[in-house]
Amino acid sequence: MTQIHDLSATRMAAAVRTGEVFPVELADHYLARIERLNEQVGAYVTVTAERARDEARQAEKAVQDAADPAELPPLHGVPVPVKDLNMVAGVPFTLGSRVYAGLTGFADDNVVTRLRRAGSVLLGKSSAPEFGLPCYTEGDVAPPARTPWDLSRSAGGSSGGAAAAVASGLAPVAQGSDGGGSIRIPSSVCGLFGIKPTRGRISHGPIVPELFGLSTNGPIARTVGDAALLLDVMAGPMPGDLYAAPPVEGTFASYAERPPGRLRIARSREPALPDAVVHPDCVAAYEAASELLVELGHEVVDMPPVFGPDLVPHFETLWAVMATITPVPDGDEHLLQPLTHWLRARGEATTAPQVLQAHAVLQGALRAAFPVMDGFDAILHPTLAQPPAPIGYFHDQEPVENFERQKRFTPFCAMYNISGQPAVTVPLHWNEDGLPIGIMLAGRLGGEGTLISLSAQLEEARPWIGRTPDIWTA
């Protein structure tokens, strides 16, 4: 180790328990890096420095007073930021919008409660785009979130700030959320490992409704083991949740330490969007991953199409209606960004029968698709159709063109929000320009364990932890 932020979160937690590293030391280290570097990468919209140091002091005292420090919570003293789409009591809560620029959180989201119980220290709120709607993080309340691999390019979205923080050494791990790729997109463009869990694995309550079941919280990390540990911490149902995930045997962290066995893996690089073109760099990452899976002893076969372009309008219907769920006070509509205003107008013009019809069509498609997909242990895709996009590539366009560019950029992710299946992005490839190009693996409902074991095998075969952007050593 040359710097504290070289430690994995798992190693960091162990070092806190043994007294090798002190929670106050961790908090001070990350806060100092945030102060120096956050303006460059746009990772945080709010930094809770005073709270972080107070929580770190309490964590340090708990280590000193513990009869057996090994029994302390799994993330005791480890700094973890929370996405600004999730409420934290007593902390500013903007949802990436000027509409909420003066709001302070009045309760903890359930996922925040679980992070606190796990002993984590809150560094601040990571940047998110307005209401989490686009696949990039550029807005009016914080600087653009940038991938540290090329600061002229976007860190993706909507968990762009979270990914920028982890990839820049401004946090060891981060909580994110994913309604159409919002964990996998930024993890891919920032060279990280991210997990979108099975629908219902992590509670969205008590504030945010789960009406459509598209969105879920999840982890963003540098290593598979760290992501699995964070998933263990965040997972669990709460009263009132509309969805429940199948139970898992043991911990998710334990799956990162066991071999997956020989798996039957399907693959497809055909996007459901007719006019989406998969960039040669993304094809190269996909083909290299296919070859590596075969080398590791897995059976890899091409998958027949299961989701067609006819489903895209129905997903768009639900996405536009979701844009209307966040309340905007009368008279504040002018504060919204053009894309948000456009999406909300589409949603408000949608009738109840149209919403029900969209749900019905998507459910019918899933009934036909699951018998095919369940014949495989995992399914391989490119995570994205293009390399990381320049800042402004989406945001500077009129809403219609903006939205079309987003669809062409990420035509693979949303299908697994529709189905509720778990999916991960794995940072196996960098192109000739030094930009990370992720590959995506999806699994059966409740199959996060298999994806974690398989990803850990890939990580061991092609380690990526030592590959860091220049800002890492700043």
Side-chain angles (χ1 to χ4, degrees):
M1 185 191 76
T2 57
Q3 302 184 83
I4 284 176
H5 59 277
D6 288 324
L7 290 173
S8 69
T10 303
R11 177 71 181 88
M12 199 175 288
V16 166
R17 293 188 188 90
T18 60
E20 298 173 66
V21 175
F22 300 103
V24 171
E25 181 184 9
L26 292 175
D28 284 343
H29 177 82
Y30 281 107
L31 289 170
R33 284 185 63 81
I34 291 167
E35 185 175 358
R36 291 198 310 273
L37 303 173
N38 187 55
E39 187 174 342
Q40 295 181 47
V41 297
Y44 289 86
V45 61
T46 300
V47 180
T48 53
E50 184 176 344
R51 175 172 176 159
R53 291 191 172 100
D54 181 59
E55 290 180 354
R57 284 191 292 268
Q58 294 178 42
E60 203 159 297
K61 187 176 185 302
V63 175
Q64 296 167 356
D65 294 345
D68 182 3
E71 295 183 357
L72 290 167
L75 289 175
H76 188 81
V78 176
V80 182
V82 170
K83 186 175 177 179
D84 202 32
L85 299 184
N86 294 84
M87 189 179 288
V88 179
V91 176
F93 180 50
T94 76
L95 289 96
S97 176
R98 288 188 295 164
V99 172
Y100 288 98
L103 179 64
T104 296
F106 53 82
D108 284 344
D109 273 5
N110 288 336
V111 69
V112 174
T113 298
R114 290 186 176 275
L115 287 168
R116 287 169 58 83
R117 288 176 182 169
S120 68
V121 170
L122 180 69
L123 289 172
K125 302 295 289 296
S126 62
S127 296
E130 192 162 63
F131 303 166
L133 295 171
C135 71
Y136 58 91
T137 305
E138 300 169 43
D140 299 324
V141 299
R146 303 170 185 268
T147 175
W149 296 94
D150 180 347
L151 293 175
S152 72
R153 296 176 184 263
S154 170
S158 62
S159 305
V166 176
S168 304
L170 307 188
V173 290
Q175 168 268 340
S177 57
D178 189 317
S182 291
I183 285 172
R184 290 160 288 161
I185 296 164
S187 295
S188 177
V189 302
C190 290
L192 301 171
F193 180 75
I195 303 176
K196 183 202 85 68
T198 296
R199 175 181 293 147
R201 181 70 69 200
I202 300 174
S203 174
H204 243 313
I207 308 298
V208 179
E210 300 169 294
L211 302 179
F212 297 157
L214 297 177
S215 185
T216 177
N217 291 282
I220 294 175
R222 294 168 60 220
T223 73
V224 175
D226 280 359
L229 174 62
L230 192 55
L231 181 56
D232 278 322
V233 164
M234 295 193 293
M238 293 293 285
D241 291 349
L242 285 182
Y243 303 98
V248 62
E249 294 184 7
T251 65
F252 291 112
S254 70
Y255 282 92
E257 299 174 354
R258 68 177 73 169
R262 187 172 190 266
L263 303 180
R264 178 172 165 80
I265 300 172
R267 71 173 201 154
S268 173
R269 64 176 178 91
E270 297 301 320
L273 197 69
D275 56 349
V277 177
V278 183
H279 190 279
D281 290 344
C282 301
V283 173
Y286 166 85
E287 294 293 352
S290 299
E291 293 173 7
L292 178 56
L293 289 167
V294 171
E295 288 175 18
L296 293 171
H298 303 293
E299 179 187 5
V300 179
V301 299
D302 290 328
M303 186 175 75
V306 291
F307 296 111
D310 55 311
L311 300 184
V312 175
H314 300 289
F315 177 80
E316 288 185 32
T317 295
L318 298 186
W319 197 254
V321 172
M322 282 176 60
T324 71
I325 291 175
T326 304
V328 175
D330 290 340
D332 283 352
E333 290 86 355
H334 68 285
L335 298 175
L336 295 172
Q337 294 189 339
L339 177 69
T340 308
H341 196 277
W342 178 76
L343 281 169
R344 287 172 65 90
R346 287 186 64 177
E348 289 164 356
T350 303
T351 66
Q354 288 173 327
V355 174
L356 295 176
Q357 180 67 16
H359 266 300
V361 171
L362 293 174
Q363 184 182 19
L366 291 174
R367 286 173 170 167
F370 272 123
V372 178
M373 295 190 295
D374 284 346
F376 305 100
D377 299 296
I379 303 170
L380 169 70
H381 304 279
T383 304
L384 299 169
Q386 301 169 28
I391 295 291
Y393 175 76
F394 309 107
H395 190 62
D396 293 347
Q397 309 304 313
E398 292 299 316
V400 173
E401 176 61 19
N402 179 334
F403 197 62
E404 289 302 313
R405 288 189 179 196
Q406 290 188 64
K407 287 160 55 179
R408 293 192 294 268
F409 183 67
T410 176
F412 299 103
C413 290
M415 68 179 75
Y416 295 110
N417 297 90
I418 294 170
S419 71
Q421 294 166 261
V424 303
T425 183
V426 189
L428 287 178
H429 189 82
W430 273 255
N431 68 9
E432 291 184 357
D433 295 325
L435 297 173
I437 309 290
I439 59 98
M440 183 169 65
L441 292 163
R444 298 187 181 101
L445 288 169
E448 292 98 320
T450 298
L451 295 180
I452 289 168
S453 291
L454 177 58
S455 299
Q457 185 185 51
L458 293 171
E459 181 180 31
E460 183 178 10
R462 298 287 189 274
W464 60 76
I465 188 64
R467 188 160 191 166
T468 56
D470 291 342
I471 202 170
W472 189 263
T473 57

